[in-house]
Amino acid sequence: MAAAPSAKKQKPHWTVSFLAGFASGATEVSVTMPLDTVKTFTQVNRTGMGPLAGASQIYQLKGFPGFYFGLPAVLLQVAGKGAIRFTAYEQFKLGLQMANAPPASVDFLAGVGAGFAEAFLWTTPTERLKVLRQNDIKSGQNRYSGLIGSARTVATEHGITGLYAGIGATGIRQASGVGVRFALYGRVKAALTTDPPEMWQSALAGGITGCASTLLNNPIDVIKSRIEAQDGAVKEYTGTFQAFRAILREEGAIAFYKGVIPRLAKISIGQAITFTAYETYSDVLVHLFQRKMATL
């Protein structure tokens, strides 16, 4: 996630946003994948298992590689959604500014639009494959061992729509999270930044916005994980609102914050990395493009 460009800085070409977003997403996931695995494992487990117990059980069942179950799907997902997110954000922001939307709302609304775009275009099917792979740890099976094979299995058994299980919950999660992060990042960074700005300030601002968005939308993340983890003909959860009612009735409101500790760590660290990496990659790419143009 990157900050909205300042008024003094020219907006990057969409290819810069796309490439920098892709690279920053790949950088993030290489660090935070174990936390995501623990988060999903505790969310789909109904015994009230905490993150330390969950991490211990993952290690006992699969060893250290278990923390990277689903890595190809996650790597493809996070890098791809980063590329889509930043590109869509810039386009939505430009459209809102041209439509004279209230300036205070532009970052949030552009972020919401970018979140929905990435959810429908990319995140939902790759998140579905990731959760199924991570759920193999609990089931003891090995049905989803490869990215292409996993996609083929889901499409064969559930149809193409099986890849879009949980699309409603995923869309709400992405839109709310991305909207909040874009709305807060620029403001938090402005309060922290010295002149010239330093890298740690971008990282700290990113971590703070990651914490805020996580606390806001963890309930919808739990619902999403429950829906996506289903792998049989009989579905306990048939939709976002039905899943909400069922979880609330059977497990209480506390269940909506299962996995919040590893998710909080994962997203705060992830957003610190993503913000900083995106701005760094953007600067490098802009410099390279400018040098190339100067030689033409």
Side-chain angles (χ1 to χ4, degrees), residues 88-264:
Y89 169 77
E90 293 294 348
Q91 299 308 307
F92 278 120
K93 183 172 184 177
L94 179 61
L96 288 164
Q97 289 173 334
M98 292 177 65
N100 295 318
S105 68
V106 168
D107 287 334
F108 175 73
L109 293 177
V112 168
F116 273 121
E118 70 179 61
F120 284 90
L121 293 174
W122 193 255
T123 306
T124 300
T126 53
E127 187 84 0
R128 165 73 158 156
L129 296 178
K130 180 206 75 173
V131 171
L132 286 171
R133 177 56 173 158
Q134 292 175 340
N135 200 45
D136 275 349
I137 300 172
K138 178 185 174 184
S139 68
Q141 301 178 16
N142 197 34
R143 301 189 66 221
Y144 302 100
S145 57
L147 182 62
I148 296 176
S150 297
R152 186 182 299 114
T153 298
V154 173
T156 299
E157 297 183 1
H158 306 287
I160 295 299
T161 57
L163 291 169
Y164 281 85
I167 190 170
T170 303
I172 295 170
R173 185 194 71 167
Q174 295 305 115
S176 60
V178 175
V180 167
R181 291 169 203 163
F182 271 119
L184 291 180
Y185 177 68
R187 293 170 173 82
V188 174
K189 186 179 177 183
L192 297 171
T193 299
T194 57
D195 189 16
E198 298 182 22
M199 186 176 291
W200 70 266
Q201 294 164 339
S202 295
L204 181 57
I208 291 171
T209 59
C211 287
S213 63
T214 300
L215 294 174
L216 171 69
N217 67 9
N218 202 76
I220 196 67
D221 189 63
V222 171
I223 292 169
K224 177 201 70 67
S225 293
R226 293 288 183 89
I227 294 172
E228 290 176 339
Q230 297 180 121
D231 190 29
V234 179
K235 307 295 184 185
E236 180 179 0
Y237 306 116
T238 58
T240 301
F241 295 107
Q242 181 272 335
F244 171 80
R245 291 192 298 269
I247 294 170
L248 181 63
R249 181 178 63 252
E250 296 171 9
E251 302 173 57
I254 192 66
F256 293 114
Y257 277 87
K258 283 187 174 181
V260 70
I261 293 176
R263 185 168 182 254
L264 195 62

